[in-house]
Amino acid sequence: MRQTIDPERFPEPLRPLAAKVRDGVRLDAEDALLCLTTPHVLPLGRLAAAVRHELHGKVAFYNINRHINPTNICVYTYNCKFCSFAALPGEAHAWQMSHEEVYRRAAAHGGDEVTEFHIVGGVHPDLEMAWYEEMLRGLRERFPRAHLKAFTAVEIEWFARQEKLPVSAVLERLVAAGLGSLPGGGAEIFHPEVRDVICKGKTGAEEWLEIHRVAHQLGLKSNCTMLYGHVERPEHKVDHLLRLRALQDDTGGFNAFIPLAYHPENNYLGLRYQTTGLDDLRHVAASRLVLDNIPHLKAYWVMVTPKLAQIALSFGADDLDGTVVEETIYHMAGAETAQQLTRAELERIVRAAGFEPVERDTLYRPVHRAA
Ligand code: V47
Ligand code: SF4
């Protein structure tokens, strides 16, 4: 029972929802639809903030991480119409790093402080899984304290096909090489009415969910995402969130959910508009309320700007992601945010919002550093 919520103090259409949240009753599909469509975004945020407060109090998490994208060459370049990052071999903007280049970037800008490398890339037609295993081993040797969060379910599925191995065997090999957890990318929108428009032919919803299920069964944690703000309807997002919640009920393996706002530049989807600030806050609040079993909700500052991520802390988010340093997926799609934030800047944003910054590792354990 959340005593701080008085349904009478909410706009009339939100009162039954407020009563459910107050009483800890799980939201159903109809409630989820209301969250994703109500014009009363500020009161919705108040409800999500109450849930967030119960889970995390005044704490807001961040980490010291590095994003590394070893290649943007991708067999799905023509499939994922929303992607501004991918390239075909030989294209002017295509890149493929050597192992040494990956290690050099990992070490740059105080790499010794890093607790997490977030490594994802295009699905390269020719790079073998052994290349990635060697990369993981090389990173583990050079940065023994850092957690390697790597490969979307899309990349894992490709490895399984390439190696003619079950997903469990692929994950076991990658774990032996140093893999620590899976990031949440590649989920987009699960519903086929949307998937067939934005990324037909790429890893399907069932496969994405199954790969995360297998990872969780092997003891790996993972994240999950939802790409919104393009051709989807609210019903598609309800379906997406409920599928994630159902898997989490079974496995408990998701650490964090990250709502990802679509960026429209330099891709083939042919849409002009970015999401608005209020849209972004609505998705944060709605996901906090619907995903009652996923402990953390990230407001990824690269995507929504540090200013909006700061406000999102009062709409249900408890994590800003990290220092990042070199981001390409969103910047190639038109993001105008900085490439990196320092620890001091992340802490300043959090404190100014009235929260207490806590540096975490990938598994959300506090990191204690010598002064
Ligand atoms: O799967 C690609 C999205 C994702 C665009 O797990 C786009 O901690 C918007 O998953 N506009 C990759 N989005 C990023 C991702 C992520 C980010 C931060 C943290 C974590 C985590 C995961 O980026 C892709 C796709 O959904 N994406 N292109 C675009 N034009
Ligand atoms: Fe490739 Fe991922 Fe971009 Fe799709 S979203 S084209 S799989 S890099």
Side-chain angles (χ1 to χ4, degrees), residues 159-177:
F159 294 149
R161 266 199 263 165
Q162 218 182 23
E163 300 289 319
K164 300 187 175 53
L165 283 173
V167 166
S168 56
V170 166
L171 290 171
E172 275 162 356
R173 257 174 65 180
L174 293 171
V175 168

Side-chain angles (χ1 to χ4, degrees), residues 76 119-123 129 132 136 149-175 179 181-183 185-186 203 207-208 210-212 214-215 218 220 222:
Y76 295 120
I119 308 161
V120 295
V123 174
M129 188 170 137
Y132 291 96
L136 293 177
K149 183 181 80 181
F151 312 124
T152 65
V154 178
E155 293 171 275
I156 299 292
E157 190 199 36
W158 182 260
F159 294 149
R161 266 199 263 165
Q162 218 182 23
E163 300 289 319
K164 300 187 175 53
L165 283 173
V167 166
S168 56
V170 166
L171 290 171
E172 275 162 356
R173 257 174 65 180
L174 293 171
V175 168
L179 180 74
S181 64
L182 298 184
T203 312
E207 288 79 15
W208 191 99
E210 183 57 21
I211 287 165
H212 282 259
V214 172
L218 292 174
L220 286 174
S222 71

Side-chain angles (χ1 to χ4, degrees), residues 74 76 80 82-83 85-86 122 202:
C74 188
Y76 295 120
C80 297
F82 60 84
C83 179
F85 160 84
K202 167 167 105 162

